[in-house]
Amino acid sequence: MGNTVIIGTQWGDEGKGKIVDLLSEHADFVVRFQGGNNAGHTMVVNGKKIISHLIPSGIIQGKKCFIGNGVVVDPFVLLEEIDYLLSNHIDVSPDMLKISNRAHIIMPYHKLIDAARETKKGDRKIGTTGRGIGPCYEDKATRRGIRFCDIPDFKGFKEKIITILEEKNFYLEHYFKTDPVDPETVIAQFRQIKDRLLPYIADVSVILSEGMNNHKTVLFEGAQGTHLDIEHGTYPFVTSSSVVAGNAANGSGVGPATLNEIIGIVKAYTTRVGSGPFPTELFDDIGDKLQKAGSEFGATTGRKRRCGWLDMVVLKNAVRLNSLTGFAITKLDVLDDLDEIKICTGYEHNGKIISDFPAEIKTLQKCTPVYETHPGWKQDISGITDFNILPDNAKRYLARIEELAKMKIKIISVGPGREATIIKENIFN
Ligand code: GDP
Ligand code: IMO
Ligand code: MG
């Protein structure tokens, strides 16, 4: 397997964790390059479920894992996650995990600002996970962020916290009318975890480059999905980082020419959690059926996910924006009981058919999906691991996706477990 990037093509929760876990067997290093603990990636191995928010999913295959410079890291959540994995007998020693010294730290005030902003927005809220992601990226862009490389010089680190809290507390007290944050409390909290964090901090870019020079294979684990991307998603109902494949290189500190394969993860239908436009959303019994059959609850916040049909406008957008080299289709088994399955082939807007994803939210909200209807297969496919014995109607549904998106399907997932997978085209050699 060459260096491979895993990207969500829709609005997140496509099953990236499962596919990263599966492919990790063939990689040496696994890297997260953007986002933070707003992500929730689920792996099911030998019937046991593990959810990771921050640490790359490759950790359960015993691969060396990296948190790149493009990720925003809440160190308290990180240590909790390390403890959770250790309690599941997974090695997360500093030999197995390194955090980029350039990664920005999510501070307690970032979470408070995230929550206070959502409350103030009322009906217009984004539906953020409230993990402080947006406010942390904001400070990074305005050059007021605090990075992991600031921790070793603890005196300088303390001064940075005191300085920035003057401004943050003014904002919290006078704009949001909430309690200020006591700098001494924050400093004391960091003093307690500092020594545990230090062995994990390293120059990830340098380690990855050296590894690649020594023929190590890297798997890049995307978080969120293309339509939550800050540049290309349904702005402002997006996350605060660049989610697309181009950022896999930048967010881990390697050059773009090192990326060989880019796999777009596609849920066989569509889900979205949080607010924002979703043209193929279903408000009927079928939407409920998908939600129940797919156990569509957020892995991070536990919120019910909104469900709808597969949308080719969305998928074609993802193919173009990410230079995808193949699809992995997940949760095909969730469609097993449906009589009919629809695919959205375009949007109707003011009497015209549009096939390119619109930039404007108002336009998107006025789009009506144009559907074609396919017969269901009405058969349990969850135990199938050979493509040839999939029901004909399932094969036709997949072939139509390939035809419309002009993209090959390389992997098909028919259950949450690692074993419930059909490898259609071998990408491992
Ligand atoms: P991620 O954020 O993209 O990693 O996806 P999540 O883990 O948030 O959500 C995907 C959910 O679907 C998880 O509960 C997975 O265990 C589950 N899942 C993944 N692939 C399949 C599949 O092929 N079939 C079924 N039924 N569940 C799946
Ligand atoms: P994974 O990696 C689904 C959504 C939130 C909200 C918006 C902004 O598991 O696919 P943020 O906390 O980033 O400020 O929230 O983005 N969101 C996700 N939705 N899966 C995710 O990650 C998400 N990460 C953020 O629900 O609508
Ligand atoms: Mg998720």
Side-chain angles (χ1 to χ4, degrees), residues 11-13 16 38-41 126-129 223-224 228 238-239 273-274 303:
W11 278 280
D13 304 326
K16 298 176 290 296
N38 47 353
H41 296 177
I126 304 245
T128 157
T129 59
Q224 289 80 54
L228 287 171
V238 292
T239 190
V273 63
R303 291 177 290 180

Side-chain angles (χ1 to χ4, degrees), residues 10 28-29 95 100 142 193 214 218 243 263 265 278 297 304 306 318 336 384 386 406:
Q10 294 151 316
D28 300 296
F29 296 160
D95 271 351
S100 169
T142 52
I193 61 168
N214 287 307
V218 184
V243 164
I263 301 291
I265 312 300
F278 176 2
F297 291 98
K304 246 189 190 183
R306 300 152 64 191
D336 281 355
I384 295 181
D386 175 358
K406 299 189 177 64

Side-chain angles (χ1 to χ4, degrees), residues 267-271 286-296 307-309 329-341 377-382 397 413-416:
K267 199 178 275 188
Y269 47 100
T270 313
T271 62
I286 297 179
D288 278 354
K289 211 169 169 175
L290 290 173
Q291 198 276 327
K292 288 200 182 82
S295 305
E296 294 294 354
C307 296
W309 296 119
I329 306 282
T330 61
K331 305 192 90 161
L332 191 63
D333 55 300
V334 173
L335 307 180
D336 281 355
D337 283 337
L338 297 181
D339 297 324
E340 288 185 331
I341 301 164
W377 44 90
K378 306 285 281 178
Q379 184 187 321
D380 178 0
I381 62 166
S382 62
Y397 181 65
S413 171
V414 292

Side-chain angles (χ1 to χ4, degrees), residues 60-94:
I60 61 174
Q61 289 266 23
K63 298 302 160 121
K64 285 199 192 297
C65 288
F66 298 87
I67 295 179
N69 53 277
V71 181
V72 289
V73 180
D74 183 330
F76 300 96
V77 172
L78 177 80
L79 293 178
E80 263 174 39
E81 193 159 298
I82 290 175
D83 289 339
Y84 158 74
L85 293 171
L86 286 173
S87 72
N88 281 287
H89 314 291
I90 296 163
D91 182 4
V92 206
S93 61

Side-chain angles (χ1 to χ4, degrees), residues 129-408:
T129 59
R131 303 300 194 258
I133 308 292
C136 184
Y137 276 118
E138 184 179 321
D139 278 356
K140 174 177 179 172
T142 52
R143 295 158 292 185
R144 286 175 298 185
I146 301 183
R147 300 186 295 167
F148 278 84
C149 59
D150 295 323
I151 298 179
D153 166 21
F154 204 67
K155 189 164 171 286
F157 181 73
K158 285 193 312 195
E159 280 160 14
K160 281 200 161 100
I161 293 177
I162 292 166
T163 309
I164 198 158
L165 270 177
E166 276 178 30
E167 189 183 323
K168 298 291 176 194
N169 277 339
F170 184 84
Y171 187 43
L172 282 167
E173 283 188 281
H174 298 283
Y175 184 69
F176 292 119
K177 315 271 186 249
T178 56
D179 291 338
V181 176
D182 172 29
E184 290 311 321
T185 308
V186 177
I187 291 164
Q189 286 169 340
F190 273 93
R191 189 178 287 112
Q192 278 201 339
I193 61 168
K194 171 174 89 71
D195 290 341
R196 211 177 154 202
L197 287 175
L198 287 176
Y200 287 101
I201 304 171
D203 194 329
V204 165
S205 164
V206 170
I207 304 175
L208 292 180
S209 283
E210 282 173 3
M212 286 173 169
N213 290 340
N214 287 307
H215 310 290
K216 300 283 187 212
T217 300
V218 184
L219 187 58
F220 297 86
E221 177 173 352
Q224 289 80 54
T226 300
H227 295 82
L228 287 171
D229 182 279
I230 182 104
E231 312 271 346
H232 303 288
T234 45
Y235 191 90
F237 298 97
V238 292
T239 190
S240 298
S241 66
S242 187
V243 164
V244 293
N247 196 36
N250 192 30
S252 25
V254 301
T258 58
L259 311 178
N260 305 122
E261 179 108 40
I262 302 167
I263 301 291
I265 312 300
V266 178
K267 199 178 275 188
Y269 47 100
T270 313
T271 62
R272 172 163 205 170
V273 63
S275 327
F278 176 2
T280 62
E281 183 168 12
L282 289 166
F283 299 95
D284 57 8
D285 290 353
I286 297 179
D288 278 354
K289 211 169 169 175
L290 290 173
Q291 198 276 327
K292 288 200 182 82
S295 305
E296 294 294 354
F297 291 98
T300 298
T301 56
R303 291 177 290 180
K304 246 189 190 183
R305 294 175 185 148
R306 300 152 64 191
C307 296
W309 296 119
L310 191 70
D311 184 340
M312 295 314 298
V313 183
V314 161
L315 290 198
K316 284 195 234 170
N317 203 34
V319 168
R320 192 186 73 253
L321 289 168
N322 294 293
S323 297
L324 296 183
T325 58
F327 280 154
I329 306 282
T330 61
K331 305 192 90 161
L332 191 63
D333 55 300
V334 173
L335 307 180
D336 281 355
D337 283 337
L338 297 181
D339 297 324
E340 288 185 331
I341 301 164
K342 293 190 182 184
I343 300 179
C344 165
T345 54
Y347 300 151
E348 195 195 312
H349 182 260
N350 287 343
K352 287 197 184 121
I353 300 295
I354 48 176
S355 52
D356 292 321
F357 200 76
E360 258 236 311
I361 291 297
K362 279 191 187 147
T363 309
L364 202 49
Q365 278 161 341
K366 282 195 230 137
C367 283
T368 312
V370 178
Y371 288 116
E372 56 180 38
T373 303
H374 297 262
W377 44 90
K378 306 285 281 178
Q379 184 187 321
D380 178 0
I381 62 166
S382 62
I384 295 181
T385 53
D386 175 358
F387 180 78
N388 295 315
I389 55 173
L390 275 177
D392 286 344
N393 283 349
K395 282 190 199 149
R396 281 191 202 104
Y397 181 65
L398 296 171
R400 186 63 179 144
I401 296 170
E402 288 186 318
E403 185 180 38
L404 288 167
K406 299 189 177 64
M407 184 55 47
K408 274 192 174 175

